[in-house]
Amino acid sequence: MSEKILIVDDEKDIADLVAVYLQNDGYEVFLAYDAQSALECVEKETIELAVLDVMLPDMDGFSLCRRIREKYLFPIIMLTAKVEDMDKITGLTVGADDYITKPFNPLELVARVKTQLRRYTRYNTGKENTAKQDEISIRGLHISRDTHKCLLNGKLLTLTPMEFDILWYLCQKQGSVVASEELYEAVWGERYLDSNNTVMTHIARLREKMQEPARKPKYIKTIWGVGYTIE
């Protein structure tokens, strides 16, 4: 059964082109040219990934992403015509897993889609073959790769697949400092080419869900100029 992907972009030529590339790879594609149609599609269909344009006629893509995240954890990739870091940070902060800047190569977008779907599939099936350890407990934090669940002091944390992978990797490396570059390449599966705020923004989102104080976190600690660690 092919995965269902939602493309949301009011530029029909771009949406239609992306749809063709994804359909050629065997995906089932749903198109929406405004936010309301996108929300209706998400409610009706079992969407497994969404590509959202930032500029939409009835609601900006950030607000749409936030609305989707109220109920759903499937991967979200943001499309933006802007190159400012703040635009990218905003998308990641409201719950997006990745972003790509217009104009873009459709093949690059397809590659990003495949990466996110692999992570999402692993998240929902609890399957991972690269490591032997299946559960880790650290001072009230319990994370299970087998069930893809994370409990903090007995309370279930609602994590996206990306957030789960970040926390799992840091827990595996407990006691060691993980450089931002290492974390990015391990979790995103891509080469870290330049300094960006992607890792930092996801860490901030994780801390917020864990109700960690930014200045004195109990779990994910920042080693300035180096990376992150869970002691």
Side-chain angles (χ1 to χ4, degrees):
M1 185 177 180
S2 58
E3 291 98 334
K4 296 181 178 181
I5 299 176
L6 172 63
I7 307 297
V8 188
D9 196 323
D10 63 338
E11 295 185 70
K12 295 186 178 182
D13 290 344
I14 293 178
D16 293 345
L17 178 63
V18 171
V20 168
Y21 274 83
L22 290 171
Q23 287 167 343
N24 286 341
D25 261 71
Y27 298 110
E28 184 177 355
V29 179
F30 296 85
L31 293 174
Y33 305 115
D34 57 64
Q36 185 57 43
S37 298
L39 290 172
E40 292 172 0
C41 181
V42 168
E43 291 289 341
K44 182 180 178 181
E45 303 290 342
T46 306
I47 299 299
E48 289 158 285
L49 182 143
V51 179
L52 311 181
D53 187 28
V54 170
M55 304 300 292
L56 296 171
D58 54 344
M59 181 191 300
D60 65 76
F62 301 134
S63 299
L64 176 57
C65 180
R66 191 179 291 110
R67 288 279 300 276
I68 291 174
R69 277 288 174 256
E70 291 174 1
K71 293 184 178 181
Y72 304 99
L73 292 175
F74 57 73
I76 296 175
I77 299 174
M78 301 295 297
L79 295 180
T80 174
K82 301 178 181 180
V83 296
E84 290 86 350
D85 282 344
M86 186 54 65
D87 206 48
K88 299 172 183 176
I89 292 172
T90 301
L92 297 172
T93 300
V94 298
D97 297 282
D98 201 357
Y99 57 82
I100 190 167
T101 304
K102 293 181 177 178
F104 58 86
N105 185 329
L107 292 176
E108 180 185 356
L109 178 58
V110 171
R112 299 284 187 94
V113 166
K114 289 180 178 179
T115 297
Q116 292 298 330
L117 283 174
R118 280 197 299 270
R119 179 174 289 111
Y120 184 57
T121 300
R122 188 170 71 234
Y123 180 89
N124 282 293
T125 60
K127 293 180 179 179
E128 170 65 79
N129 299 316
T130 58
K132 296 180 180 179
Q133 193 173 14
D134 290 319
E135 295 185 359
I136 300 174
S137 293
I138 303 172
R139 303 189 312 279
L141 175 67
H142 181 81
I143 185 168
S144 170
R145 193 191 55 206
D146 184 49
T147 62
H148 268 265
K149 289 184 178 180
C150 182
L151 297 174
L152 181 58
N153 298 321
K155 182 179 179 181
L156 181 65
L157 296 180
T158 305
L159 304 180
T160 66
M162 182 73 75
E163 291 163 351
F164 183 93
D165 282 359
I166 292 171
L167 187 57
W168 175 260
Y169 192 83
L170 289 174
C171 286
Q172 279 189 307
K173 298 285 186 175
Q174 181 186 5
S176 301
V177 179
V178 179
S180 298
E181 294 88 344
E182 177 187 346
L183 186 58
Y184 183 87
E185 292 180 4
V187 174
W188 274 262
E190 300 175 1
R191 185 181 177 188
Y192 188 93
L193 296 177
D194 54 16
S195 61
N196 61 58
N197 296 297
T198 304
V199 172
M200 180 183 69
T201 305
H202 278 82
I203 292 292
R205 224 165 71 200
L206 258 175
R207 284 174 173 160
E208 183 179 352
K209 290 187 175 183
M210 297 171 72
Q211 298 184 341
E212 287 255 81
R215 292 185 178 275
K216 292 184 177 181
K218 179 181 178 181
Y219 294 99
I220 305 176
K221 298 184 178 182
T222 301
I223 307 300
W224 295 109
V226 183
Y228 304 93
T229 185
I230 293 182
E231 297 177 344

